[in-house]
Every structure is written in structure tokens, then in C-alpha cells.
Amino acid sequence: MPETVNLCSSLRSLYPEIPAFGRHNIFRQIPSFSQPRKFLCFPEKIGVFAEGIRAVHAIEQDGTLQELDDSPVSVEPLPICGEDQFDRVMADAQELGESVVIVWMAAWCRKCIYLKPKLEKLAAEYYPRLRFYHVDVNAVPYRLVSRAGVTKMPTIQLWRNNEKQAEIIGGHKAHFVINEVREMIENGDSTN
């Protein structure tokens, strides 16, 4: 028999404003971690995922449900694997009148590895109006790396109209780099 979790006591202690539902029998023993993911909706109050059980507080002060934000928490930059793909990305962005952020990194670079999840969170802030891409400098022809003017890793560049607008070389603390990239994006978007 699968391991079970009694939600009644834990949820009532977390959310005292939830009334005892009595006849609805909402707080049952729910199997956890062994069942496929299911979304259970408690009447007008909270939601629970049966896998990795997690309560979500969704009540506004007037007692109505607040709308949950479905925007992504992180967005993984799309890979660019060659010059042809790089040219296609630039052409598509130019056609749409959008800017593109390109992260030049290497698989062996510790600073690149550490910065990657923070850049993914930043990409989520600008999704979908701004696309983030990454290039592994060891997996593409050197001609592309030199064409972009990349000499150090990680390098984060803002491109618009098939031209490099600005770049940040991320050799220092990640939170400083993220702030600099955010400024670069905001300044680049405000000039266009």
C-alpha cells in the first residue's frame, strides 16, 4: 500500500481560515509520490499536487480566489550550433523587429555553469518578448566566435538588426552580472 499523507491537520494548521468542509470530505488520505500527478481543487480555497504534496495559498483578503500567475520561473536559452543557425536567428529577429540576447559560454567554464541558472531566471522575466540563446564556443566554428568578437567566457551580448548593440563579460559575481545584463537589455530596448 502506498505511503499516505494526512492533509487535514497540516493544512488546517497552515490555513486556519479554511472552514471544516464536513460533508465534502476534502481532507482525505491522499497517496503521495506513487501516483501520477493529479491536481485536486479544494472548493474555492487551495490547490494541492498529490505528487510532492504542496499547498498553494490562493485566497485574497475578501475571500475570493486570486488568479495564479502561470508565467515561467525560468526559461532555458535555446542553443545555437552553427553559423547558419546563428544567421537564421538574426534574420528572424530582424524580421520581427526584436532584440536577441546571446550567451557565449563553454562547457568547462565554472563561471558559465554558475551563471546559467541565474540567466534562465532572467530570461523568464523577459519571456516572450525577448529571446535568449546560448552558444558553446567549443561546439561551433571559430569563425562564428571571432565574428561575434567573443574573447572571454561568459560573454552576454545584445543583438538587434543583425548588429551587436552591447555586451557584458561575466567574470565577476553572478548577481552583478545579472544586474548589468538587465541594464543592458533595458538600455538597448529604450533606444529602439
Side-chain angles (χ1 to χ4, degrees):
M1 181 157 178
E3 181 181 324
T4 60
V5 175
N6 185 343
L7 293 177
C8 183
S9 59
S10 60
L11 289 176
R12 283 220 184 96
S13 65
L14 290 171
Y15 303 99
E17 68 274 13
I18 298 174
F21 288 102
R23 65 172 207 240
H24 296 297
N25 199 12
I26 297 301
F27 297 115
R28 288 186 214 154
Q29 298 272 336
I30 297 177
S32 65
F33 306 112
S34 60
Q35 298 292 324
R37 178 172 281 164
K38 296 178 184 172
F39 183 75
L40 305 172
C41 185
F42 291 99
E44 302 170 354
K45 298 298 176 184
I46 59 175
V48 173
F49 277 98
E51 179 179 304
I53 295 179
R54 176 174 67 115
V56 179
H57 191 268
I59 303 171
E60 292 184 359
Q61 288 186 359
D62 63 359
T64 61
L65 283 175
Q66 66 185 11
E67 190 172 321
L68 297 176
D69 185 9
D70 64 348
S71 58
V73 175
S74 67
V75 174
E76 187 171 331
L78 300 169
I80 293 180
C81 302
E83 286 185 272
D84 292 338
Q85 186 182 9
F86 182 83
D87 292 335
R88 246 187 339 270
V89 165
M90 290 299 145
D92 291 346
Q94 186 172 6
E95 186 177 307
L96 296 171
E98 295 177 344
S99 297
V100 173
V101 174
I102 309 238
V103 180
W104 300 82
M105 55 192 344
W108 48 263
C109 171
R110 288 185 312 157
K111 291 178 181 175
C112 301
I113 293 166
Y114 184 71
L115 191 60
K116 186 177 183 244
K118 290 152 183 60
L119 286 169
E120 290 173 355
K121 287 182 181 179
L122 183 67
E125 290 179 29
Y126 292 98
Y127 180 84
R129 73 175 177 90
L130 184 64
R131 307 267 177 191
F132 279 63
Y133 295 87
H134 74 88
V135 180
D136 184 341
V137 296
N138 294 324
V140 296
Y142 179 72
R143 212 172 35 238
L144 177 59
V145 177
S146 64
R147 180 174 139 191
V150 175
T151 56
K152 296 179 182 177
M153 266 70 66
T155 297
I156 301 100
Q157 297 177 334
L158 180 69
W159 288 72
R160 185 167 183 92
N161 296 327
N162 212 11
E163 292 181 16
K164 180 174 54 172
Q165 302 296 311
E167 78 177 4
I168 304 294
I169 298 174
H172 43 290
K173 299 240 181 238
H175 65 276
F176 291 129
V177 175
I178 295 301
N179 288 337
E180 290 175 4
V181 171
R182 188 177 282 116
E183 282 180 32
M184 175 182 73
I185 291 169
E186 296 301 324
N187 291 338
D189 279 354
S190 65
T191 59
N192 298 309

